[in-house]
Amino acid sequence: MQLIEQKREFQSALIQWYLREKRDLPWRRTTNPYYIWVSEVMLQQTRVDTVIPYYERFIKKFPTLAHLAEADEADVLKMWEGLGYYSRVRNLQAGVKEVVTQYNSQIPKTRKEISQLKGVGPYTAGAVLSIAYGIPEHAVDGNVMRVMSRLLLIDEDIAIPRNKKIFEEVVMHLIDKEDPSSFNQAVMELGATICTPNPKCLLCPVREFCGAFHEGRQQELPIKSKKVKMKTIPVLMVVIRNLDGKWLLRQRPATGLLANMWEFPLVENYPSQAIEQLMQQQYKMQVEQPTPLLHFKHIFSHLTWDITSHLVVTDDVAPEGFQFFSTEEVEALPKAVPVIKIWQAVNEKEKNS
DNA sequence: CAAGCGTGGTC
DNA sequence: TGACCAAGCTT
């Protein structure tokens, strides 16, 4: 195969292009393995432009492994608010604590050891090892599979997990042992800017090595099977204010959807009946004066919430698992986007009365 | 392994 | 407007 035979020329063309054209990103100004780790976790399934401000704030607030290890989980979650996939940061802090306590605050330099840290999978392990330490390890993400499937005309379905090892083996063969950091980042940069789903082949620095370009098959690669369409769940959210002007919230479980985030009382798949009766049944609470707030859809990765929200008043006590919070306290709690939207609607209504 | 897990951008 | 996407990991 042409690319394999001209490996040196390919590596050189790719890395020269990367060093010339790479975007100036905050995490490319350091090789601090902790900062690389933070950036890689944030970048999982998340766009660069979204990550940048979160990254800047996060490392300012938690500048070292020790700072993050010792931080309160609620403060850590607050820094992640709005970024999504909230278990990432819970796992990150757990992994950082492992490094501090078990590795004398030195992030391990072997795939075997680093992969055992919470939240560090095959990609993140290879990314930290190669970018922070210059170790020639594969870091195969969606970009890499797309780029390699085109370069080498690999037509295995990239949606099937067991096929990823094909790409990991390809990368281990092609990777530049002298500069694995630039090589891995170059492949990803190429996938993010040139070898996109709709590729810009005329701008590609390695098109002469590309099997798909030669055969005009760049639009049909990679092969990726479709996923199932998601369900829509009707959700009723009730914002409950007591006579002291405080708000009723609870923290979601530590695992699962919106892990550890705070929310107003909610009912999924609720029956069509009055809010007062529903709150009595579900939470044993007496509420009055229901006022409609917002009606909107919130789309998650695998399901949609069709959210109806109301504002009510109560003179009751907080039910099991709930607490009343002042307005300032509610602001400080980590909340996911649908809760934030409803909270903003409440504030609007307060302002106009 | 398949399914669960957020959010915002793009075409 | 809806499908698809974006530097994946866990169970």
Side-chain angles (χ1 to χ4, degrees), chain A residues 339-350:
Chain A
V339 174
I340 290 174
K341 284 184 177 173
I342 290 172
W343 180 239
Q344 288 172 343
V346 171
N347 287 333
E348 285 298 313
K349 189 171 288 290
E350 294 283 296

Side-chain angles (χ1 to χ4, degrees), chain A residues 291-302:
Chain A
T291 308
L293 277 172
L294 273 185
H295 183 7
F296 62 103
K297 290 186 195 302
H298 185 80
I299 303 169
F300 296 100
S301 53
H302 61 299

Side-chain angles (χ1 to χ4, degrees), chain A residues 29 63 125 176 180 196 203 218 322 326:
Chain A
R29 294 175 167 233
D176 186 340
T196 49
L203 300 177
Q218 59 269 31
F322 288 89
S326 69

Side-chain angles (χ1 to χ4, degrees), chain A residues 18-86:
Chain A
Y18 172 71
L19 296 177
R20 190 173 66 247
E21 303 287 344
K22 66 179 179 180
R23 294 167 289 177
D24 179 21
L25 305 175
W27 47 89
R28 287 183 175 163
R29 294 175 167 233
T30 180
T31 56
N32 181 321
Y34 166 60
Y35 293 162
I36 301 299
W37 185 5
V38 170
S39 71
E40 291 300 341
V41 172
M42 286 187 171
L43 285 163
Q44 290 168 9
Q45 299 290 285
T46 310
R47 291 177 132 65
V48 165
D49 289 344
T50 302
V51 166
I52 290 174
Y54 281 91
Y55 173 83
E56 301 277 20
R57 284 195 298 267
F58 196 92
I59 64 172
K60 179 172 286 187
K61 179 100 171 179
F62 311 114
T64 68
L65 288 165
H67 284 87
L68 182 54
E70 294 163 10
D72 289 338
E73 189 185 81
D75 294 334
V76 177
L77 252 191
K78 190 66 183 177
M79 298 304 292
W80 212 266
E81 183 179 271
L83 197 51
Y85 286 142
Y86 298 101

Side-chain angles (χ1 to χ4, degrees), chain A residues 319-336:
Chain A
E320 182 68 27
F322 288 89
Q323 294 172 251
F324 281 105
F325 294 93
S326 69
T327 298
E328 293 72 26
E329 289 170 331
V330 174
E331 293 288 343
L333 295 173
K335 302 174 289 294

Side-chain angles (χ1 to χ4, degrees), chain A residues 178-236:
Chain A
E178 299 301 312
D179 192 354
S181 170
S182 292
F183 181 88
N184 280 343
Q185 293 189 79
V187 178
M188 290 188 281
E189 185 83 351
L190 190 71
T193 61
I194 307 287
C195 197
T196 49
N198 289 312
K200 307 168 177 66
C201 297
L202 297 185
L203 300 177
C204 181
V206 292
R207 68 185 181 203
E208 65 175 297
F209 306 95
C210 182
F213 178 72
H214 281 298
E215 298 192 5
R217 295 180 55 200
Q218 59 269 31
Q219 288 290 350
E220 49 186 275
L221 291 171
I223 306 296
K224 187 176 186 180
S225 56
K226 316 243 177 182
K227 34 183 183 179
V228 297
K229 79 172 195 314
M230 55 190 181
K231 289 190 297 191
T232 297
I233 300 176
V235 174
L236 176 67

